[in-house]
Short mmCIF file of all heavy atoms in Angstrom, two decimals:
data_model
loop_
_atom_site.label_atom_id
_atom_site.label_comp_id
_atom_site.label_asym_id
_atom_site.label_seq_id
_atom_site.Cartn_x
_atom_site.Cartn_y
_atom_site.Cartn_z
N ARG A 92 -11.10 -35.47 28.02
CA ARG A 92 -10.74 -35.63 29.42
C ARG A 92 -9.23 -35.48 29.54
O ARG A 92 -8.48 -36.22 28.93
CB ARG A 92 -11.16 -37.02 29.89
CG ARG A 92 -10.93 -37.25 31.34
CD ARG A 92 -11.56 -38.57 31.74
NE ARG A 92 -11.26 -38.84 33.13
CZ ARG A 92 -11.78 -39.87 33.77
NH1 ARG A 92 -12.58 -40.72 33.14
NH2 ARG A 92 -11.48 -40.08 35.04
N VAL A 93 -8.80 -34.51 30.33
CA VAL A 93 -7.37 -34.27 30.47
C VAL A 93 -6.81 -35.13 31.61
O VAL A 93 -5.84 -35.86 31.45
CB VAL A 93 -7.06 -32.78 30.73
CG1 VAL A 93 -5.56 -32.57 30.77
CG2 VAL A 93 -7.68 -31.93 29.64
N PHE A 94 -7.41 -35.04 32.77
CA PHE A 94 -7.08 -35.96 33.86
C PHE A 94 -8.22 -35.98 34.86
O PHE A 94 -8.98 -35.02 34.96
CB PHE A 94 -5.74 -35.64 34.53
CG PHE A 94 -5.66 -34.25 35.11
CD1 PHE A 94 -6.10 -33.99 36.40
CD2 PHE A 94 -5.15 -33.21 34.36
CE1 PHE A 94 -6.03 -32.72 36.92
CE2 PHE A 94 -5.08 -31.92 34.88
CZ PHE A 94 -5.52 -31.67 36.16
N ASP A 95 -8.34 -37.05 35.58
CA ASP A 95 -9.43 -37.20 36.55
C ASP A 95 -10.76 -36.64 36.03
O ASP A 95 -11.25 -37.08 35.02
CB ASP A 95 -9.05 -36.53 37.89
CG ASP A 95 -7.88 -37.25 38.53
OD1 ASP A 95 -7.68 -38.45 38.23
OD2 ASP A 95 -7.15 -36.63 39.31
N ASN A 96 -11.26 -35.63 36.74
CA ASN A 96 -12.54 -35.08 36.31
C ASN A 96 -12.38 -33.77 35.55
O ASN A 96 -13.31 -32.99 35.46
CB ASN A 96 -13.45 -34.90 37.52
CG ASN A 96 -13.91 -36.24 38.04
OD1 ASN A 96 -14.22 -37.14 37.25
ND2 ASN A 96 -13.94 -36.39 39.34
N VAL A 97 -11.17 -33.51 35.06
CA VAL A 97 -10.95 -32.27 34.33
C VAL A 97 -11.15 -32.51 32.83
O VAL A 97 -10.45 -33.31 32.22
CB VAL A 97 -9.53 -31.72 34.59
CG1 VAL A 97 -9.31 -30.43 33.80
CG2 VAL A 97 -9.33 -31.48 36.08
N TYR A 98 -12.11 -31.78 32.27
CA TYR A 98 -12.38 -31.89 30.85
C TYR A 98 -12.22 -30.51 30.24
O TYR A 98 -12.48 -29.51 30.87
CB TYR A 98 -13.82 -32.34 30.61
CG TYR A 98 -14.11 -33.76 31.01
CD1 TYR A 98 -14.28 -34.10 32.35
CD2 TYR A 98 -14.25 -34.76 30.05
CE1 TYR A 98 -14.56 -35.40 32.72
CE2 TYR A 98 -14.53 -36.06 30.40
CZ TYR A 98 -14.69 -36.38 31.75
OH TYR A 98 -14.98 -37.66 32.10
N PHE A 99 -11.77 -30.42 29.02
CA PHE A 99 -11.92 -29.14 28.34
C PHE A 99 -12.09 -29.33 26.85
O PHE A 99 -11.85 -30.41 26.31
CB PHE A 99 -10.80 -28.16 28.69
CG PHE A 99 -9.48 -28.40 28.01
CD1 PHE A 99 -9.08 -27.59 26.94
CD2 PHE A 99 -8.62 -29.37 28.47
CE1 PHE A 99 -7.86 -27.79 26.34
CE2 PHE A 99 -7.39 -29.56 27.87
CZ PHE A 99 -7.01 -28.77 26.79
N ARG A 100 -12.56 -28.28 26.22
CA ARG A 100 -12.86 -28.34 24.80
C ARG A 100 -11.56 -28.22 24.03
O ARG A 100 -10.95 -27.18 23.97
CB ARG A 100 -13.81 -27.18 24.47
CG ARG A 100 -14.46 -27.26 23.14
CD ARG A 100 -15.64 -26.28 23.13
NE ARG A 100 -16.13 -26.08 21.78
CZ ARG A 100 -15.90 -24.97 21.08
NH1 ARG A 100 -15.22 -23.99 21.61
NH2 ARG A 100 -16.37 -24.86 19.85
N LYS A 101 -11.15 -29.32 23.47
CA LYS A 101 -9.89 -29.34 22.75
C LYS A 101 -10.20 -29.86 21.36
O LYS A 101 -10.91 -30.85 21.22
CB LYS A 101 -8.94 -30.29 23.49
CG LYS A 101 -7.50 -30.23 23.04
CD LYS A 101 -6.64 -31.07 23.98
CE LYS A 101 -5.16 -30.94 23.62
NZ LYS A 101 -4.29 -31.66 24.52
N PRO A 102 -9.69 -29.20 20.34
CA PRO A 102 -9.99 -29.67 19.00
C PRO A 102 -9.46 -31.09 18.78
O PRO A 102 -8.35 -31.41 19.21
CB PRO A 102 -9.25 -28.69 18.09
CG PRO A 102 -8.91 -27.53 18.94
CD PRO A 102 -8.82 -28.02 20.35
N VAL A 103 -10.26 -31.91 18.14
CA VAL A 103 -9.89 -33.30 17.92
C VAL A 103 -9.65 -33.54 16.43
O VAL A 103 -10.49 -33.20 15.60
CB VAL A 103 -11.01 -34.24 18.43
CG1 VAL A 103 -10.59 -35.70 18.27
CG2 VAL A 103 -11.33 -33.95 19.89
N VAL A 104 -8.50 -34.13 16.13
CA VAL A 104 -8.20 -34.47 14.74
C VAL A 104 -8.80 -35.84 14.45
O VAL A 104 -8.44 -36.83 15.07
CB VAL A 104 -6.67 -34.49 14.50
CG1 VAL A 104 -6.37 -34.89 13.05
CG2 VAL A 104 -6.05 -33.14 14.81
N THR A 105 -9.73 -35.88 13.50
CA THR A 105 -10.41 -37.14 13.20
C THR A 105 -10.23 -37.55 11.73
O THR A 105 -10.78 -38.56 11.31
CB THR A 105 -11.92 -37.04 13.50
OG1 THR A 105 -12.43 -35.88 12.82
CG2 THR A 105 -12.19 -36.91 14.99
N GLY A 106 -9.48 -36.75 10.97
CA GLY A 106 -9.26 -37.09 9.56
C GLY A 106 -8.04 -36.36 9.05
O GLY A 106 -7.34 -35.69 9.82
N LYS A 107 -7.77 -36.47 7.77
CA LYS A 107 -6.60 -35.80 7.20
C LYS A 107 -6.79 -34.28 7.24
O LYS A 107 -7.82 -33.77 6.78
CB LYS A 107 -6.38 -36.26 5.75
CG LYS A 107 -5.11 -35.67 5.13
CD LYS A 107 -4.80 -36.31 3.79
CE LYS A 107 -3.69 -35.58 3.05
NZ LYS A 107 -2.41 -35.53 3.79
N VAL A 108 -5.81 -33.59 7.80
CA VAL A 108 -5.90 -32.13 7.92
C VAL A 108 -5.56 -31.48 6.58
O VAL A 108 -4.50 -31.74 6.01
CB VAL A 108 -4.94 -31.61 9.02
CG1 VAL A 108 -4.87 -30.08 8.99
CG2 VAL A 108 -5.41 -32.08 10.40
N GLU A 109 -6.48 -30.66 6.10
CA GLU A 109 -6.26 -29.95 4.84
C GLU A 109 -6.89 -28.57 4.87
O GLU A 109 -7.89 -28.36 5.55
CB GLU A 109 -6.87 -30.74 3.67
CG GLU A 109 -6.02 -31.93 3.25
CD GLU A 109 -6.68 -32.75 2.14
OE1 GLU A 109 -7.80 -33.24 2.35
OE2 GLU A 109 -6.07 -32.86 1.07
N TRP A 110 -6.29 -27.67 4.09
CA TRP A 110 -6.85 -26.32 3.93
C TRP A 110 -8.14 -26.44 3.13
O TRP A 110 -8.22 -27.19 2.17
CB TRP A 110 -5.83 -25.48 3.18
CG TRP A 110 -6.19 -24.03 3.00
CD1 TRP A 110 -5.89 -23.01 3.86
CD2 TRP A 110 -6.88 -23.43 1.89
NE1 TRP A 110 -6.36 -21.81 3.36
CE2 TRP A 110 -6.97 -22.05 2.14
CE3 TRP A 110 -7.43 -23.93 0.72
CZ2 TRP A 110 -7.57 -21.17 1.27
CZ3 TRP A 110 -8.05 -23.04 -0.16
CH2 TRP A 110 -8.12 -21.68 0.11
N ARG A 111 -9.16 -25.72 3.52
CA ARG A 111 -10.46 -25.81 2.86
C ARG A 111 -10.84 -24.50 2.20
O ARG A 111 -11.26 -24.45 1.07
CB ARG A 111 -11.50 -26.22 3.90
CG ARG A 111 -12.89 -26.44 3.35
CD ARG A 111 -13.74 -27.24 4.33
NE ARG A 111 -13.73 -26.66 5.66
CZ ARG A 111 -14.21 -27.28 6.75
NH1 ARG A 111 -14.70 -28.49 6.68
NH2 ARG A 111 -14.18 -26.67 7.92
N GLN A 112 -10.68 -23.39 2.97
CA GLN A 112 -11.10 -22.08 2.46
C GLN A 112 -10.29 -21.01 3.20
O GLN A 112 -9.74 -21.31 4.25
CB GLN A 112 -12.59 -21.87 2.71
CG GLN A 112 -12.93 -21.33 4.09
CD GLN A 112 -13.78 -22.26 4.95
OE1 GLN A 112 -14.65 -22.93 4.45
NE2 GLN A 112 -13.51 -22.29 6.24
N PRO A 113 -10.24 -19.80 2.66
CA PRO A 113 -9.52 -18.74 3.39
C PRO A 113 -10.08 -18.60 4.80
O PRO A 113 -11.29 -18.65 5.00
CB PRO A 113 -9.81 -17.49 2.56
CG PRO A 113 -10.08 -17.98 1.19
CD PRO A 113 -10.78 -19.31 1.38
N MET A 114 -9.17 -18.42 5.77
CA MET A 114 -9.59 -18.41 7.17
C MET A 114 -9.48 -17.02 7.79
O MET A 114 -10.37 -16.58 8.52
CB MET A 114 -8.74 -19.42 7.96
CG MET A 114 -8.94 -20.86 7.45
SD MET A 114 -7.93 -22.09 8.34
CE MET A 114 -6.33 -21.86 7.55
N ILE A 115 -8.38 -16.34 7.51
CA ILE A 115 -8.16 -15.05 8.18
C ILE A 115 -8.12 -13.89 7.19
O ILE A 115 -7.94 -12.74 7.58
CB ILE A 115 -6.84 -15.08 9.00
CG1 ILE A 115 -5.65 -15.52 8.14
CG2 ILE A 115 -6.96 -16.05 10.17
CD1 ILE A 115 -4.82 -14.40 7.69
N ILE A 116 -8.29 -14.21 5.92
CA ILE A 116 -8.10 -13.21 4.86
C ILE A 116 -9.11 -12.06 4.96
O ILE A 116 -8.74 -10.90 4.81
CB ILE A 116 -8.23 -13.89 3.46
CG1 ILE A 116 -7.19 -15.01 3.32
CG2 ILE A 116 -8.12 -12.86 2.34
CD1 ILE A 116 -5.78 -14.57 3.20
N ASP A 117 -10.36 -12.38 5.22
CA ASP A 117 -11.40 -11.36 5.23
C ASP A 117 -11.11 -10.26 6.28
O ASP A 117 -11.14 -9.07 5.98
CB ASP A 117 -12.76 -12.02 5.51
CG ASP A 117 -13.90 -11.08 5.20
OD1 ASP A 117 -14.34 -11.06 4.04
OD2 ASP A 117 -14.35 -10.35 6.12
N ASP A 118 -10.81 -10.68 7.50
CA ASP A 118 -10.52 -9.71 8.57
C ASP A 118 -9.28 -8.88 8.24
O ASP A 118 -9.24 -7.67 8.46
CB ASP A 118 -10.26 -10.43 9.91
CG ASP A 118 -11.49 -11.18 10.43
OD1 ASP A 118 -12.58 -11.02 9.85
OD2 ASP A 118 -11.34 -11.93 11.41
N TRP A 119 -8.27 -9.58 7.75
CA TRP A 119 -7.01 -8.91 7.42
C TRP A 119 -7.21 -7.87 6.33
O TRP A 119 -6.75 -6.74 6.43
CB TRP A 119 -5.96 -9.96 7.01
CG TRP A 119 -4.75 -9.39 6.37
CD1 TRP A 119 -3.76 -8.67 6.99
CD2 TRP A 119 -4.41 -9.44 4.99
NE1 TRP A 119 -2.82 -8.28 6.07
CE2 TRP A 119 -3.20 -8.75 4.83
CE3 TRP A 119 -4.99 -10.02 3.85
CZ2 TRP A 119 -2.56 -8.61 3.60
CZ3 TRP A 119 -4.37 -9.89 2.63
CH2 TRP A 119 -3.17 -9.20 2.51
N GLU A 120 -7.95 -8.25 5.28
CA GLU A 120 -8.18 -7.30 4.18
C GLU A 120 -9.01 -6.11 4.65
O GLU A 120 -8.77 -4.98 4.22
CB GLU A 120 -8.90 -7.99 3.01
CG GLU A 120 -7.93 -8.85 2.20
CD GLU A 120 -8.44 -9.15 0.81
OE1 GLU A 120 -9.63 -9.53 0.69
OE2 GLU A 120 -7.65 -9.02 -0.15
N TYR A 121 -9.95 -6.36 5.54
CA TYR A 121 -10.75 -5.23 6.04
C TYR A 121 -9.86 -4.27 6.84
O TYR A 121 -9.90 -3.05 6.64
CB TYR A 121 -11.93 -5.71 6.90
CG TYR A 121 -12.70 -4.53 7.42
CD1 TYR A 121 -13.40 -3.71 6.53
CD2 TYR A 121 -12.65 -4.17 8.77
CE1 TYR A 121 -14.06 -2.57 6.98
CE2 TYR A 121 -13.31 -3.03 9.22
CZ TYR A 121 -14.00 -2.24 8.32
OH TYR A 121 -14.63 -1.10 8.76
N ALA A 122 -9.03 -4.84 7.72
CA ALA A 122 -8.12 -3.99 8.52
C ALA A 122 -7.24 -3.16 7.58
O ALA A 122 -7.02 -1.97 7.80
CB ALA A 122 -7.26 -4.85 9.44
N ARG A 123 -6.77 -3.80 6.52
CA ARG A 123 -5.88 -3.10 5.60
C ARG A 123 -6.61 -1.98 4.86
O ARG A 123 -6.02 -0.96 4.53
CB ARG A 123 -5.28 -4.11 4.62
CG ARG A 123 -4.01 -3.62 4.01
CD ARG A 123 -3.38 -4.68 3.16
NE ARG A 123 -4.32 -5.21 2.19
CZ ARG A 123 -3.95 -5.84 1.08
NH1 ARG A 123 -2.67 -6.00 0.84
NH2 ARG A 123 -4.84 -6.31 0.27
N SER A 124 -7.88 -2.17 4.62
CA SER A 124 -8.63 -1.15 3.88
C SER A 124 -8.84 0.13 4.70
O SER A 124 -9.17 1.17 4.15
CB SER A 124 -9.99 -1.72 3.45
OG SER A 124 -10.88 -1.79 4.56
N ILE A 125 -8.64 0.04 6.02
CA ILE A 125 -8.84 1.23 6.86
C ILE A 125 -7.57 1.62 7.63
O ILE A 125 -7.63 2.39 8.58
CB ILE A 125 -10.00 1.00 7.88
CG1 ILE A 125 -9.75 -0.27 8.69
CG2 ILE A 125 -11.35 0.91 7.17
CD1 ILE A 125 -10.70 -0.43 9.87
N SER A 126 -6.41 1.06 7.22
CA SER A 126 -5.18 1.26 8.00
C SER A 126 -4.42 2.51 7.58
O SER A 126 -3.32 2.75 8.07
CB SER A 126 -4.26 0.03 7.87
OG SER A 126 -3.70 -0.01 6.57
N GLN A 127 -4.98 3.30 6.68
CA GLN A 127 -4.33 4.51 6.16
C GLN A 127 -2.93 4.20 5.64
O GLN A 127 -1.98 4.94 5.89
CB GLN A 127 -4.30 5.60 7.24
CG GLN A 127 -5.72 5.98 7.68
CD GLN A 127 -5.75 7.06 8.75
OE1 GLN A 127 -4.72 7.58 9.16
NE2 GLN A 127 -6.94 7.39 9.21
N GLY A 128 -2.82 3.08 4.95
CA GLY A 128 -1.57 2.72 4.28
C GLY A 128 -0.59 1.95 5.15
O GLY A 128 0.41 1.43 4.66
N ARG A 129 -0.86 1.88 6.44
CA ARG A 129 0.07 1.12 7.30
C ARG A 129 -0.05 -0.37 7.00
O ARG A 129 -1.17 -0.87 6.84
CB ARG A 129 -0.25 1.36 8.78
CG ARG A 129 0.14 2.77 9.17
CD ARG A 129 -0.38 3.14 10.55
NE ARG A 129 -0.40 4.60 10.62
CZ ARG A 129 0.33 5.32 11.47
NH1 ARG A 129 1.11 4.75 12.34
NH2 ARG A 129 0.28 6.64 11.44
N PRO A 130 1.09 -1.08 6.96
CA PRO A 130 1.01 -2.52 6.70
C PRO A 130 0.27 -3.23 7.84
O PRO A 130 0.36 -2.84 9.00
CB PRO A 130 2.47 -2.96 6.67
CG PRO A 130 3.30 -1.72 6.65
CD PRO A 130 2.47 -0.59 7.14
N VAL A 131 -0.47 -4.27 7.47
CA VAL A 131 -1.17 -5.11 8.45
C VAL A 131 -0.55 -6.50 8.39
O VAL A 131 -0.49 -7.11 7.32
CB VAL A 131 -2.68 -5.17 8.15
CG1 VAL A 131 -3.39 -6.01 9.22
CG2 VAL A 131 -3.27 -3.76 8.09
N LYS A 132 -0.11 -6.99 9.52
CA LYS A 132 0.49 -8.33 9.57
C LYS A 132 -0.57 -9.40 9.33
O LYS A 132 -1.68 -9.30 9.84
CB LYS A 132 1.03 -8.61 10.98
CG LYS A 132 2.43 -8.14 11.27
CD LYS A 132 2.80 -8.70 12.67
CE LYS A 132 4.05 -8.06 13.21
NZ LYS A 132 4.34 -8.50 14.60
N VAL A 133 -0.16 -10.44 8.62
CA VAL A 133 -0.97 -11.66 8.54
C VAL A 133 -0.49 -12.57 9.68
O VAL A 133 0.71 -12.86 9.76
CB VAL A 133 -0.77 -12.35 7.18
CG1 VAL A 133 -1.31 -13.77 7.19
CG2 VAL A 133 -1.43 -11.52 6.08
N ILE A 134 -1.40 -12.96 10.57
CA ILE A 134 -0.99 -13.69 11.77
C ILE A 134 -1.73 -15.02 11.86
O ILE A 134 -2.96 -15.06 11.82
CB ILE A 134 -1.24 -12.84 13.03
CG1 ILE A 134 -0.44 -11.53 12.93
CG2 ILE A 134 -0.86 -13.62 14.29
CD1 ILE A 134 -0.90 -10.45 13.88
N LEU A 135 -0.97 -16.08 11.97
CA LEU A 135 -1.55 -17.43 12.01
C LEU A 135 -0.96 -18.21 13.17
O LEU A 135 0.20 -18.04 13.52
CB LEU A 135 -1.19 -18.17 10.72
CG LEU A 135 -1.69 -17.54 9.43
CD1 LEU A 135 -0.66 -17.67 8.34
CD2 LEU A 135 -2.99 -18.19 9.02
N THR A 136 -1.76 -19.09 13.73
CA THR A 136 -1.23 -20.00 14.74
C THR A 136 -0.37 -21.05 14.03
O THR A 136 -0.79 -21.60 13.02
CB THR A 136 -2.39 -20.65 15.52
OG1 THR A 136 -3.17 -19.60 16.10
CG2 THR A 136 -1.88 -21.58 16.60
N GLY A 137 0.81 -21.28 14.57
CA GLY A 137 1.78 -22.13 13.89
C GLY A 137 1.49 -23.62 14.02
O GLY A 137 0.69 -24.05 14.86
N PRO A 138 2.18 -24.43 13.20
CA PRO A 138 1.91 -25.87 13.17
C PRO A 138 2.23 -26.59 14.47
O PRO A 138 1.52 -27.52 14.86
CB PRO A 138 2.81 -26.38 12.03
CG PRO A 138 3.86 -25.32 11.86
CD PRO A 138 3.21 -24.03 12.23
N TYR A 139 3.26 -26.15 15.18
CA TYR A 139 3.63 -26.84 16.42
C TYR A 139 2.57 -26.61 17.50
O TYR A 139 2.17 -27.53 18.21
CB TYR A 139 5.01 -26.37 16.91
CG TYR A 139 5.47 -27.15 18.11
CD1 TYR A 139 6.05 -28.40 17.97
CD2 TYR A 139 5.27 -26.67 19.41
CE1 TYR A 139 6.43 -29.16 19.08
CE2 TYR A 139 5.65 -27.41 20.52
CZ TYR A 139 6.23 -28.65 20.34
OH TYR A 139 6.60 -29.40 21.44
#
Side-chain angles (χ1 to χ4, degrees):
R92 184 172 176 174
V93 184
F94 58 88
D95 295 336
N96 289 320
V97 179
Y98 291 77
F99 77 103
R100 193 164 167 254
K101 191 172 184 177
V103 183
V104 178
T105 52
K107 184 171 170 59
V108 171
E109 283 177 301
W110 184 90
R111 183 162 52 191
Q112 85 243 323
M114 298 179 280
I115 54 101
I116 301 290
D117 194 87
D118 295 352
W119 167 72
E120 282 200 314
Y121 179 67
R123 202 174 52 158
S124 75
I125 54 169
S126 72
Q127 299 180 2
R129 289 170 201 243
V131 182
K132 274 187 192 175
V133 166
I134 300 163
L135 299 142
T136 302
Y139 185 81

